[in-house]
Amino acid sequence: MKTWPGSAYPLGATFDGNGTNFALFSEVAEKVELCLFDDAGAETRVELIEVDAYVWHAYLPQIQPGQKYGYRVYAPYDPKSGSRSNPSKLLLDPYAKATSGQIDWDQALFSYNFGDPDSENNDDSAPHMMMGVVINPFFDWAGDRHPRVPYAQSVIYEAHVKGLTELHPGIPDEIRGTYSAVAHPVIIEHLQKLGVTAIELMPVHQFVDDSTLVEKGLHNYWGYNTIGFFAPQNTYSASGDRGQQVQEFKGMVRALHSAGIEVILDVVYNHTAEGNHLGPTLSFKGIDNAAYYRLVDKTPEYYMDYTGTGNSMNVSNPHSLQLIMDSLRYWVTEMHVDGFRFDLAAALAREFYDVDRLAAFFELVQQDPIVSQVKLIAEPWDVGPGGYQVGNFPPLWTEWNGKYRDTVRDFWRGEPSTLGEFAERITGSSDLYEHEGRRPVASINFVTAHDGFTLADLVSYDEKHNDANGENGQDGESTNRSANYGVEGPTTDPAIQAIRSRQQRNFLATLMISQGVPMILHGDELGRTQAGNNNGYAQDNELTWVHWDEADSSLIEFTAAVTRLRKEHPSFRRSRFFDGRPVVRGAGEPLPDLVWLQPDAAVMAPEDWDSGFGRSIAMFLNGNGIGTRDQRGEPITDVHFLVLFNAHTDVVEFTLPADEYAELWEIVVDTAGVQADSQPRGPGAVIPVEARSLMVLRQHIPTEADNDHSVAASLTVLTGSTADDTSSAQPEMAG
């Protein structure tokens, strides 16, 4: 095999149009072999002679895209000292841009013999391994650009490539469950109808099926078990797994971008699929175990585990950090993605033992001219000591706000003593973010996500029902802050159905009128259920896939309507926190940018917030108090809004406030669906708000249509189903 010296940079396999450069980092290696495989599985080994700064490299002029390859690393095998290299194990290139095949969990994948962890197993693992694939990096992006939607204008849709598309009747069978399916017009049109600006894809980095799941006949559905940080998951490709998946992924991004939709990836840099000291040797362990993993001090045979998966990436090592940063830059520059959601991000902040927000990883991100300019979303916790870090990430970052989720759930199910925190959460969680100079958009607001109940299950089950996972119900969160309203699971009782439908609308409406960035879980807008399973990680089947043929069209329309309301009114997507200072422009009395009112229209006093049973409140949003300017320097203003929240189990009558707030109000959202008339109401008018419902009123600006036609002709009223309807009823619309 003809070889040239090649280059130590970039790492990985890089095709330049003529041949391919191979480069692998290993500080512990004494010898490295590049292993090339043909379609029959025959192996050709090429020793890498050139070494620069612990990078072993060579250029092979005859190697073209589609070539399968791996590495064998020679170094002392001494697990007690933390060294686990074994040349009998074929190793996946950490920088592989594509992969071919899957692992089969044969004994040969392990460096020891089952039942004897201290032994050494020298069986060849190549027949049982997935392999790297040389890719063609060239792609016609046709002028593609990042949409760069500002956070304040963003609506995020968390989705699973397969789960979203596998059952859609409008997608051809041969591409369902793939990147091509996500790019199909029926999916894009649905996202556009909902007002989605970014799709956040659950892990698409190449991952591995856990052996414990394979033994049960299950699969890793979620994908939080990464082995390749540069390679798109090959099972999500309709084009094959010989490098074509890269082109298909790029085509998906291009199609979404052309529709104005950003692509955010859920990434798992905190651990890998190699597990603990009893796990297989697939890549990092055999290349340089101590460089890539955090080992236990004084007993480096074992791994530090802040993730609950057996190992944690060693983010204090410069080569491990380089891997992560190179991966992030690659997905932005070469794959054109628009941001990342970091799984268990607190693990990346563990410089040594404690969580350190100034860890090297965050310093590198801050300084990087590419990565620092895309959306960076942290899941701000891990399973280690002190791992819950909501509100503690650096200013560049946004965070999944778990406190928002918990508080909004508690408020709408009627928990006592939640009123004050509910007000804090829906106005941007300034208590968490303002002290660091961050903005309301630092809070990614969500009520449901992939981990936990779906929205329909949140209002249908008191308890989790995870028997299908094969763990005797021990898996999944037991505290769900959910309610079934009288019956566990499905029911034909129309009263219970009505409450459940109303609560789903309450959650969706609350999301869209809250300050921060709303995130919707795929399928919530159409009533998707997982039959009470709150941990679908192993359910790659119809339990977790979206059933489009059972969609609640009423809920889809309602979701689209409240999302449209948010888009049209900057009052609900402020880029600055409320400050409570009086604001006036033009005629009228000065009013604060935000006023909290009791149902009788009296301003909330400090002692009112301490009422343990307070479950009803009105929120006045001053359209003149947004406090930001447009690109021409002009103040951004809006009409005023009044939001009436009633989490009580009975009707509560709200009195509209004095005319300095507004002379007339019109109802634009009623989640109970009983106030469908659009007649404007003035100060002192009493409006009954149904049990467990919210109402949004907009300041009415008189027009000529008011004189010539009925007022209803000039208004749009967004409501849910009527109180005695089931969830399948269409919303009442006027205008």
Side-chain angles (χ1 to χ4, degrees), residues 145-160:
R145 293 185 178 182
H146 295 282
R148 300 199 182 280
V149 180
Y151 270 120
Q153 298 174 21
S154 296
V155 175
I156 298 174
Y157 189 82
E158 187 192 25
H160 187 283

Side-chain angles (χ1 to χ4, degrees), residues 349-371:
R350 291 185 182 273
E351 184 87 350
F352 296 103
Y353 178 78
D354 294 328
V355 175
D356 179 7
R357 57 163 294 181
L358 298 179
F361 170 68
F362 297 101
E363 293 176 348
L364 288 175
V365 169
Q366 181 74 36
Q367 298 168 16
D368 192 278
I370 294 172
V371 180

